[in-house]
Every structure is written in C-alpha cells, then in structure tokens.
C-alpha cells in the first residue's frame, strides 16, 4: 500500500507556524557597508525598491506564511549580484534556499512588469536632441539616437529545442540585443533570443527594427558594428576605408560605439549571475531571459540614483557576441546614400 508523503515547508520546519512574516533580518540593524558588500547596493537604493515593488510583492497568496517585500528584495539582490544562493545569506535573513529561490522569482517578475517604465527611448523632442548632443560630444558623430549590439549570457541546456540555444562556441546561451545612450542607460533590451541566432538575424526579427522602421525618429540613427547590415536608421563602419573622411568616420563610429561595450562590462560586473563565473543560469530560457531583463531594469534604476558609473576602464574590449561574424554587405542603396551624405557633410 502506498504511503502518502507530506510536502513540508522548509521555513515552517525552521520557525514554526506562529510567524506570519519572515522578518528576522532587519534593514536598520546593519551598516551601509554590509548592505553594499552583501547585496551590492546601498540602503537608499534598497528602500526605493521596497517602495517601488512592495505592493506587488505583498500580493495575497495561498501560503500560510508570507515573506516581507524587504526580505524578498534583499534575497533577489543577493542572487543577482553574487550569482549564487549563499547559505550564509539565507541564514542571516532567516529563510531557506527554497524560499530564496521563490524570492528571486517574485522580484524578477515584479521588475519585468516594470521594464517599459525604465527601459525606453525618449519621445519628446527636447530629450531626443539632448540624446544626440551627448553622443556628438563623445567623438563628433551627429544624429546618434543610441548604440546597439548583442551579448551572450550562458544558460543551462533546456529540455526542449536544445540545438536552437547552442551558439558557435558550442555553449547554450541567450543572445541579448541592447541599445544604450551615451551614459550607458539602456533604451532597449531584448533578452530572449536563442544563442544560435547570429546578431544580424536577431536584429532583423527584433521589435527594435519594427520600431525604427514604422515609428521612431526619421532624423537620426543607431550605431551598430559590422555584424549588422547598414540601414537608413543604422549606421555601420565602412568595410575598407580609403579616404581621410572615411577614416575619420570609422574612428568616430568606433569611439562612440564603445559605449555599449563598456555598458556590457558594467552590467556583468554588477550582476555576477550573468558573467558566468558562478556557472550558467540554472533556469529555463524564459526564466533566464526574465532574470537578464530584471538586471537591465536594476542597471537603469541604479544610474537614475547616481550609482553604477563605469566600473571598467574605457580602453579594451569586452568579449562580444559568441559568433565570429563576417563583415556584412548592405544592398540598401538608400542606406548607402544616407551614409555617404553623412560622410560628406560631417567628415570631409
């Protein structure tokens, strides 16, 4: 005769049913230095997240005991910035590893729900002009609305569609398409693309392309590297520069595009769950994509709070997407005309 097995709550075993919330860890009981070293962010930033996400994280559940929004946020930040569920962190907050995993899931979804609030292109003319002016101040490249590139984040092998996530290095990954401004603020982040897709294919299928071809500004462009095709709204480097104007264009392009390489380094440095040092993200592609997007939201919020300025030097290059791309040739005559006009008007 089969014996029924009871599924027990780890926190219930530890602390009993009398506790309605898990608040053993008190934010006010620790120093700012401890918060930054353990969770990656100072007190003011954490309090802002509690205010921002508190209502969502306090939603009624079927569970008899709730974990406070503050504790959920600390658990999630601890994972994002360390890349692991550390036992000492769970012990300090009075929750089990299983509960920490639930906290990460809850906070991740709450941040993803707010992605469009924090990651978007400016719409008013004054802000758009400021965006262009800031880029122009970097290296003299006019009309720039953002720099675009892809980066891979390693994930565990999914159960389904396994080969679609295998990149050219034979590793499972998500290929993430991002755009940032001159300060490294993300203006667009699509984190769900399978690692087998080359950058040019990701961009071709991305919502970003639809935005720029149907809605967004006609008097400016993005800058992309040679893994992308030249478009009227996407300026790429010249293949083989021959004239002084072409060399100047390529130099200004490279110096400006370097912003997104530095942004990728900053995000990986802040959010160690993405840098591969603790192994791959041990989630499905969908959940891994949400974790990456949640970190992107936190990156932008941190910049709004004056945090997370460039954490790596401007020189050097972060490893780009996992593919070894070939130079892409454009067959768009209008795009070639736009680039040629740019060369003549600003670099000749």
């Amino acid at each position: 005769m089969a014996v029924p097995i009871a599924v027990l709550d780890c926190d219930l075993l530890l602390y009993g049913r009398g506790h309605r919330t898990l608040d053993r860890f008190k934010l006010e009981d620790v120093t700012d230095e401890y918060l930054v070293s353990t969770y990656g962010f100072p007190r003011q930033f954490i309090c802002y997240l509690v205010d921002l996400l508190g209502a969502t994280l306090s939603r009624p559940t079927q569970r008899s005991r709730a974990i406070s929004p503050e504790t959920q946020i600390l658990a999630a930040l601890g994972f994002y910035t360390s890349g692991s569920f550390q036992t000492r962190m769970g012990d300090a907050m009075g929750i089990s590893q299983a509960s920490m995993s639930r906290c990460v899931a809850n906070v991740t979804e709450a941040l993803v729900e707010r992605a469009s609030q924090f990651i978007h292109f400016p719409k008013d003319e004054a802000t758009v002009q400021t965006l262009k002016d800031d880029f122009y101040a970097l290296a003299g490249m006019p009309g720039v609305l953002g720099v675009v590139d892809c980066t891979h984040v390693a994930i565990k092998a999914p159960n389904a569609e396994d080969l679609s996530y295998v990149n050219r290095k034979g590793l499972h990954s998500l290929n993430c398409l991002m755009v940032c401004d001159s300060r490294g603020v993300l203006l667009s982040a699509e984190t769900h693309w399978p690692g087998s897709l080359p950058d040019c294919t990701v961009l071709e299928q991305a919502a970003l392309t639809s935005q720029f071809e149907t809605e967004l500004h006609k008097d400016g462009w993005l800058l992309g590297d040679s893994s992308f095709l030249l478009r009227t709204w996407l300026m790429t480097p010249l293949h083989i520069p021959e004239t002084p104007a072409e060399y100047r264009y390529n130099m200004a392009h490279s110096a400006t595009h370097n912003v997104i390489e530095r942004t990728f380094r900053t995000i990986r440095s802040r959010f160690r769950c993405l840098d591969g040092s603790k192994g791959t993200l041990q989630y499905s592609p969908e959940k891994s994509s949400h974790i990456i997007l949640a970190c992107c939201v936190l990156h932008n919020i941190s910049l709004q709070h004056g945090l997370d300025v460039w954490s790596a030097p401007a020189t050097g290059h972060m490893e780009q997407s996992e593919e070894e791309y070939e130079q892409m040739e454009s067959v768009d005559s209008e795009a070639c005309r736009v680039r040629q006009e740019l060369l003549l008007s600003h670099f000749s």
Side-chain angles (χ1 to χ4, degrees), residues 28-332:
E28 60 270 20
D29 292 341
V30 296
T31 65
D32 289 337
E33 291 76 13
Y34 175 82
L35 291 174
V36 172
S37 65
T38 307
Y39 304 105
F41 293 96
R43 188 183 314 275
Q44 184 179 6
F45 182 88
I46 295 169
C47 290
Y48 172 83
L49 291 181
V50 173
D51 290 339
L52 177 69
L53 307 178
T56 301
L57 298 176
S58 298
R59 288 171 180 166
T61 69
Q62 299 299 316
R63 296 172 58 80
S64 61
R65 303 170 67 250
I67 301 176
S68 72
E70 181 181 279
T71 300
Q72 292 184 61
I73 288 168
L74 288 171
L77 291 178
F79 169 72
Y80 298 147
T81 58
S82 72
S84 65
F85 295 112
Q86 299 178 25
T87 302
R88 66 178 182 84
M89 191 181 300
D91 290 345
M93 293 186 294
I95 62 175
S96 65
Q97 181 171 317
S99 289
M100 285 193 67
S101 181
R102 288 193 295 272
C103 291
V104 171
N106 292 342
V107 174
T108 295
E109 293 311 306
L111 289 168
V112 167
E113 287 176 6
R114 289 160 176 80
S116 61
Q117 177 183 346
F118 294 99
I119 303 174
H120 57 81
F121 283 91
K123 295 182 179 179
D124 64 281
E125 291 186 11
T127 308
V128 170
Q129 187 58 50
T130 299
L131 187 65
K132 294 179 183 179
D133 292 344
D134 290 345
F135 271 119
Y136 186 78
L138 290 179
M141 180 70 76
V144 180
L145 300 169
V147 289
V148 59
D149 209 345
C150 288
T151 186
H152 284 248
V153 175
I155 62 172
K156 74 172 183 179
N159 294 325
E161 298 182 88
D162 183 76
L163 292 179
S164 68
Y165 292 92
V166 178
N167 60 41
R168 288 183 60 168
K169 289 190 173 181
L171 305 174
H172 293 83
S173 67
L174 290 167
N175 195 3
C176 305
L177 179 74
M178 300 187 194
V179 180
C180 74
D181 70 8
S182 63
R183 295 174 51 238
V185 174
L186 295 173
L187 306 175
S188 177
E190 299 185 35
T191 59
H192 61 283
W193 297 102
S196 66
L197 293 180
D199 294 0
C200 60
T201 303
V202 169
L203 182 62
E204 181 180 342
Q205 299 177 9
L208 179 68
T209 294
S210 177
Q211 277 185 295
F212 268 82
E213 292 187 344
T214 61
E215 309 171 20
L216 281 177
H217 325 280
K218 305 300 182 182
D219 56 345
W221 37 72
L222 300 178
L223 296 188
D225 64 22
S226 297
S227 63
F228 300 115
L229 285 170
L230 178 71
R231 300 169 185 260
T232 56
W233 50 267
L234 177 65
M235 294 292 102
T236 60
L238 286 145
H239 236 186
I240 304 174
E242 297 176 347
T243 68
E246 291 176 346
Y247 275 102
R248 285 192 288 269
Y249 167 86
N250 271 14
M251 290 178 64
H253 188 292
S254 176
T256 308
H257 188 266
N258 187 51
V259 170
I260 196 158
E261 299 173 11
R262 296 164 67 191
T263 299
F264 287 157
R265 285 197 297 267
T266 297
I267 292 173
R268 290 180 184 272
S269 175
R270 170 70 79 179
F271 303 106
R272 303 304 294 273
C273 68
L274 307 181
D275 74 355
S277 64
K278 300 291 185 179
T280 62
L281 284 174
Q282 296 297 302
Y283 296 92
S284 68
E286 180 182 11
K287 289 184 177 179
S288 295
S289 169
H290 285 185
I291 288 172
I292 301 166
L293 185 56
C295 291
C296 290
V297 172
L298 289 173
H299 168 76
N300 274 10
I301 295 175
S302 70
L303 285 174
Q304 288 182 6
H305 283 73
L307 305 172
D308 214 7
V309 293
W310 306 124
S311 59
T315 57
H317 295 277
M318 190 194 82
E319 182 177 356
Q320 290 299 300
S321 74
E322 302 292 338
E323 62 194 70
E324 296 177 1
Y325 57 77
E326 297 180 358
Q327 296 272 351
M328 303 294 294
E329 292 287 357
S330 177
V331 294
D332 187 335

